[in-house]
Amino acid sequence: MQKYLEYLKPWLVYFIFLGMPFLAQAEDDVAETFGGFSIGGYAAAKANLHPGGEKDASIHDTSLFLGWEGDSRWRFFSELELEKPLFWQAGSGFTLTHSRLNLERLYLDYNLSEALNLRAGRYFTPVGRWNLIHADPLVWTTTRPLATTRLFPQSTNGFMVFGSKNFNSQAIDYSLYVEALKNEDKDRNLGEAEGTKGIRLALSGDKNIGLSLLEFNEHTPIDTNYRMLGLDFQTKIRDWELSTEAYQRYHANGNNGGSGGYIQAVAPITGNWFATSRLDAIQIPKEAKTSRWLIGAAWKRTPSQVFKIEYVGGAKELPESPKGLITSFSILF
């Protein structure tokens, strides 16, 4: 699959540079629809001034959505993402060598009722909130909490049963899933993880509360079976948005297998400006232990266009966890 995706990469780079001026004019986040087919996506540009003075910038992500939903019970959705098609670094100039093409999602749904749906294909692992809605225009910060990237497989190839049931002003959502085909995307699957299976329950209303339970095997650096518990929470208090996620992993023998989490606050400033802040920490025995703090702002020029600026500090900088002054502009189209 990766071989065929590589053939598409030059064409997507060409599309980005021709299409970015037109995408910047988008005012609505509604995808175009043609006879049941829908086309949409998002693009994001990012710049980073690191604590040591190094500077880099990139077209960070460009994703293309293609979906279909006719009059029947079937529904199809796919997302193809091109990471860093253009990268610039002070002293080195521009390069295309950092680009990577990923098949983010590709699945087919069958709707039996609102409470019972079947899914087969590649989908985001239903763990917490951030992993399900992490597209740049839909989140408040440019950087992603480490706990949502290093503790569990971000994607799963397999089957899912999911649905929702309303109770007065609240709803209970559930997802029950199991891997059927090994994930070849090592960056999103913890290197050599497989055998993922789990369940997520979420209560939605004035307060959103979620519980995630999953199990998977990781084969690097050694064969390990993990069981993980995750809790997530989101609410609004006087126009402030508060959200948090916390995770604890265990080895099959009950020993600590790592933990992490974050707490984030967003407050309105004036007009379409919002202040953002976050505390983030993760620890994995014999592998990683780091913490981050973030303070910044986000300007929602329109519902589909977001500018963000933030300063990230904390422990030692890692490739997947940058520090310093970071800005981004993202467009949902």
Side-chain angles (χ1 to χ4, degrees), residues 141-329:
T141 64
T142 300
T143 54
R144 176 172 175 160
L146 271 175
T148 68
T149 64
R150 298 286 301 277
L151 291 173
F152 57 88
Q154 297 172 46
S155 299
T156 301
N157 302 325
F159 300 101
M160 181 192 297
V161 179
F162 66 97
S164 179
K165 184 67 175 179
N166 293 323
F167 294 95
N168 297 323
S169 61
Q170 296 184 320
I172 295 180
D173 303 316
Y174 75 92
S175 302
L176 181 65
Y177 56 96
V178 61
E179 184 182 79
L181 182 65
K182 185 176 179 181
N183 194 333
E184 294 182 355
D185 190 345
K186 296 183 178 181
D187 289 342
R188 286 168 172 74
N189 207 41
L190 302 182
E192 292 291 340
E194 64 176 350
T196 306
K197 54 182 176 290
I199 185 172
R200 171 171 166 78
L201 300 173
L203 178 65
S204 303
D206 295 336
K207 297 179 177 61
N208 301 308
I209 305 171
L211 169 67
S212 303
L213 301 169
L214 70 155
E215 181 179 353
F216 60 92
N217 299 311
E218 187 177 357
H219 300 304
T220 55
I222 59 175
D223 288 352
T224 307
N225 176 262
Y226 288 112
R227 295 182 176 89
M228 195 181 83
L229 168 67
L231 296 172
D232 58 269
F233 175 79
Q234 183 190 55
T235 190
K236 280 193 172 183
I237 302 175
R238 294 184 180 180
D239 296 329
W240 283 57
E241 180 185 289
L242 299 175
S243 59
T244 183
E245 296 184 33
Y247 299 101
Q248 176 64 59
R249 286 194 325 192
Y250 297 95
H251 293 285
N253 59 11
N255 290 339
N256 176 33
S259 61
Y262 72 88
I263 181 169
Q264 179 174 283
V266 180
I269 303 175
T270 181
N272 295 326
W273 281 93
F274 299 82
T276 57
S277 61
R278 188 173 67 228
L279 296 176
D280 176 21
I282 189 173
Q283 69 86 22
I284 302 176
K286 300 180 181 180
E287 182 182 338
K289 182 178 182 180
T290 190
S291 60
R292 289 283 181 270
W293 57 265
L294 175 153
I295 186 168
W299 175 44
K300 286 200 168 186
R301 180 176 180 271
T302 71
S304 59
Q305 299 179 27
V306 185
F307 170 78
K308 306 169 194 172
I309 182 168
E310 60 206 51
Y311 190 87
V312 181
K316 181 180 177 181
E317 188 170 29
L318 302 172
E320 67 274 21
S321 179
K323 293 172 55 179
L325 184 65
I326 305 172
T327 63
S328 68
F329 180 70

